[in-house]
Amino acid sequence: SALYPHRPEKFSPYAASSRLALNILSIDTGDASPQAGGALVDYPLVAAWKRPLLEAMFAERQDDAEFRAWCAREGAWLRNHAIFEALSEAMATQDYAWWRQWPIGYRRPDSPAVATFARQSEERVDFFAYLQYRADRQLAAAAKRARAGGMRIGLYRDLAVGAAADGSEAWSFQDTLASGVGMGAPPDALGPFGQDWGIPPQDPNVLVAEQYQPFRHLIAANMRHFGALRLDHVMALFRQWWVPVGLGATDGGYVHYPLDDLMSVLALESARHRCLVVGEDLGTVPDEM
């Protein structure tokens, strides 16, 4: 999942900027990281070291035609993600921590101000889109090599239950998210006081109205190049513990989701991509799951 190039200290994959995009720090630039042998990864240091190498990769690219064709196939989500990254870079110089603090004209991807910014900053938008292209191509090559080397299933990916409220996914798809609440968990043996992850949930009514396309797109994107997909907190397909902003985790409540329909979409994409699905069941598991 994509993290935050301009805030490399935010490195949790369970509070990612986008689950559709890839982490550009994972791109192989052909040089050994100075932190490769350490016990822990210094993300800010690695990000600072890797940025000029990624800039050079973009400047020296010789695969522009393939890149443009790939962008055309990926469509609007990639364009919006690249615009978000370019905007985040520009806004970081004004000390705006996240997109809801940006000037109001930039808070929606479909605004005239964002369209103007994208035209005026086309080179930077292309840069961030190109990094996604290179990450995807390298991931495809790694998956092919894994299978050729004897891994019958291939690579195994983890899909977080949600994306962070301050990231690209929340900015790009804000109309599909429930506002004023965050996902969490009720009190249980693991967390006696409950949990509030602060992750905005997808609105089940919007999912139904849009014929589950946002969910299907997410699942398909995460199955590409992978032979198995782990769903973090799989119980979210049936119900989610919503916590209103400003209240404690014990003040939340369950909101139910159309389990049969979501499972049908999951099964369809599993068959289409020949990808196994594993559900993580840590927490309170209802009988329906």
Side-chain angles (χ1 to χ4, degrees):
S1 296
L3 300 180
Y4 302 83
H6 318 297
R7 289 182 288 165
E9 71 281 358
K10 288 172 61 68
F11 52 78
S12 171
Y14 296 103
S17 175
S18 174
R19 296 169 296 167
L20 291 166
L22 298 172
N23 182 4
I24 62 174
L25 289 185
S26 296
I27 294 174
D28 179 9
T29 55
D31 298 280
S33 166
Q35 294 296 299
L40 299 175
V41 176
D42 186 332
Y43 283 89
L45 180 63
V46 171
W49 166 82
K50 212 159 196 178
R51 174 50 74 91
L53 300 177
L54 296 173
E55 297 277 2
M57 179 182 288
F58 174 65
E60 298 166 4
R61 67 192 182 278
Q62 297 180 345
D63 51 357
D64 199 64
E66 292 88 348
F67 162 57
R68 300 296 174 186
W70 184 82
C71 288
R73 289 194 300 270
E74 293 302 307
W77 83 264
L78 174 67
R79 176 75 176 172
N80 284 340
H81 177 73
I83 291 172
F84 177 86
E85 294 287 59
L87 263 172
S88 296
E89 181 180 66
M91 294 296 174
T93 64
Q94 303 179 46
D95 202 29
Y96 289 115
W98 71 303
W99 60 266
R100 287 195 183 276
Q101 296 176 334
W102 293 351
I104 194 166
Y106 299 105
R107 296 179 191 173
R108 291 189 58 88
D110 54 359
S111 74
V114 168
T116 299
F117 171 85
R119 286 194 302 270
Q120 295 174 346
S121 308
E122 196 65 38
E123 185 79 1
R124 294 312 289 168
V125 174
D126 275 357
F127 169 68
F128 288 109
Y130 184 76
L131 295 186
Q132 289 300 312
Y133 162 72
R134 287 301 297 266
D136 181 80
R137 294 298 83 206
Q138 289 187 1
L139 181 58
K144 183 177 180 180
R145 185 170 182 177
R147 290 185 181 275
M151 293 176 63
R152 291 177 56 199
I153 293 175
L155 301 181
Y156 178 37
R157 186 169 188 171
D158 192 23
L159 176 61
V161 69
D166 58 352
S168 163
E169 189 175 327
W171 180 78
S172 298
F173 300 98
Q174 54 192 279
D175 291 340
T176 72
L177 303 177
S179 61
V181 295
M183 277 188 283
D188 57 22
L190 179 66
F193 301 104
Q195 300 175 62
D196 180 3
W197 306 322
I199 295 172
Q202 287 187 322
D203 187 326
N205 295 315
V206 175
L207 287 179
V208 172
E210 296 192 6
Q211 299 180 317
Y212 305 106
Q213 282 302 316
F215 178 72
R216 183 176 182 180
H217 182 205
L218 177 66
I219 294 298
N222 279 268
M223 285 182 171
R224 183 166 61 181
H225 310 315
F226 290 86
L229 179 66
R230 172 190 178 274
L231 299 186
D232 180 48
H233 193 67
V234 72
M235 294 84 77
L237 297 176
F238 173 64
R239 66 185 185 186
Q240 297 179 13
W241 185 259
W242 287 13
V243 181
V245 172
L247 298 182
T250 57
D251 297 318
Y254 277 121
V255 173
H256 284 253
Y257 281 67
L259 175 63
D260 290 345
D261 290 347
L262 294 177
M263 287 293 290
S264 295
V265 172
L266 191 61
L268 174 63
E269 294 305 320
S270 173
R272 289 181 64 235
H273 292 87
R274 296 187 59 81
C275 182
L276 301 174
V277 179
V278 178
E280 184 255 351
D281 62 354
L282 183 64
T284 303
V285 184
D287 292 340
E288 290 83 355
M289 293 302 297

